[in-house]
Amino acid sequence: EDQVTQSPEALRLQEGESSSLNCSYTVSGLRGLFWYRQDPGKGPEFLFTLYSAGEEKEKERLKATLTKKESFLHITAPKPEDSATYLCAVQGGTSYGKLTFGQGTILTVHP
Amino acid sequence: EPEVTQTPSHQVTQMGQEVILRCVPISNHLYFYWYRQILGQKVEFLVSFYNNEISEKSEIFDDQFSVERPDGSNFTLKIRSTKLEDSAMYFCASTLRGGTDTQYFGPGTRLTVL
């Protein structure tokens, strides 16, 4: 059974204070690892897909990296508008489309 | 930019009643999904649907649940006899090609069972 664990559960940062969110996973044959952003009361918003260890993707202040056991979402010089819950999800080799999500990290960026 | 829409945004029902949650996926997408998120818990997969058939379903998706694409634009989730534990946010998602193709999520329907 695919499993995803995210840490920390909550992270408070000052504006401009860079940090990283962790996503550890166990899956039988990783097909893809996905990062989403979720604002309160809304649906997940797609950020990145990573397919293989060593892959990196960037978008504005966010950079996602992948190893064989975990993924990191690095946030550089965050702004208050980056405050949200960040979700990590995996798709394993035995499924075709099903995403298994972690609990999420609640990020709060103070001005 | 095309987006997934869901109606209603909030549904309140009595235990034992039937509810139908509606989704309009992105127009050229072919693969459709339902997920749910109980308050404070993980987003959980319910079912995937392609070519008018269920492709995959979770243990949560028992005989109380059914999905349908009644026309060329809508995708529905029916819960036949709601239980208190069905209270959750229900999200619809769609992709063009399935597999690891990006899943675009709708804003969700908050279902409250009293």
Side-chain angles (χ1 to χ4, degrees):
Chain A
E1 183 180 335
D2 302 340
Q3 291 190 339
V4 178
T5 303
Q6 293 186 245
S7 61
E9 290 184 7
L11 181 63
R12 294 176 176 268
L13 299 174
Q14 289 296 125
E15 185 171 3
E17 180 186 2
S18 301
S19 188
S20 296
L21 282 55
N22 177 263
C23 170
S24 297
Y25 64 90
T26 55
V27 66
S28 177
L30 181 70
R31 294 171 60 95
L33 184 139
F34 306 81
W35 282 99
Y36 283 85
R37 169 191 171 128
Q38 186 177 29
D39 292 304
K42 296 191 176 181
E45 177 187 344
F46 173 74
L47 294 173
F48 303 109
T49 305
L50 301 168
Y51 297 99
S52 58
E55 190 174 0
E56 299 182 353
K57 288 193 176 172
E58 284 188 72
K59 178 182 177 181
E60 297 181 351
R61 296 178 292 282
L62 301 177
K63 178 180 177 180
T65 62
L66 181 65
T67 73
K68 289 186 178 179
K69 294 183 178 180
E70 57 191 351
S71 176
F72 292 93
L73 184 65
H74 306 278
I75 304 177
T76 302
K79 298 182 178 181
E81 53 261 42
D82 294 322
S83 297
T85 296
Y86 290 85
L87 304 175
C88 174
V90 297
Q91 187 179 128
T94 58
S95 70
Y96 193 76
K98 170 188 171 183
L99 297 181
T100 299
F101 282 85
Q103 184 81 6
T105 293
I106 303 171
L107 174 66
T108 305
V109 182
H110 296 284
Chain B
E1 184 175 319
E3 58 184 21
V4 177
T5 60
Q6 291 185 241
T7 55
S9 57
H10 190 191
Q11 173 93 46
V12 181
T13 190
Q14 295 291 325
M15 189 169 54
Q17 294 297 304
E18 174 183 287
V19 295
I20 298 176
L21 310 183
R22 292 181 168 80
C23 167
V24 179
I26 293 173
S27 62
N28 63 336
H29 284 188
L30 301 175
Y31 295 79
F32 314 113
Y33 310 86
W34 283 102
Y35 292 82
R36 79 173 185 189
Q37 186 176 30
I38 296 171
L39 187 63
Q41 297 188 22
K42 298 181 180 183
V43 176
E44 301 174 287
F45 170 80
L46 293 178
V47 66
S48 59
F49 189 86
Y50 168 71
N51 199 26
N52 282 319
E53 290 184 351
I54 291 174
S55 306
E56 189 174 6
K57 61 183 181 179
S58 71
E59 292 179 354
I60 303 168
F61 194 89
D62 60 20
D63 292 343
Q64 296 275 60
F65 293 89
S66 63
V67 289
E68 188 180 28
R69 188 154 165 83
D71 52 44
S73 59
N74 290 282
F75 179 51
T76 62
L77 174 68
K78 181 191 290 185
I79 309 175
R80 288 190 182 82
S81 179
T82 50
K83 305 172 187 173
L84 295 176
E85 53 265 37
D86 293 328
S87 295
M89 281 287 284
Y90 287 82
F91 295 109
C92 173
S94 70
T95 72
L96 176 59
R97 290 175 292 266
T100 55
D101 206 25
T102 299
Q103 293 186 25
Y104 294 93
F105 284 75
T109 292
R110 179 171 299 282
L111 177 65
T112 302
V113 182
L114 302 176

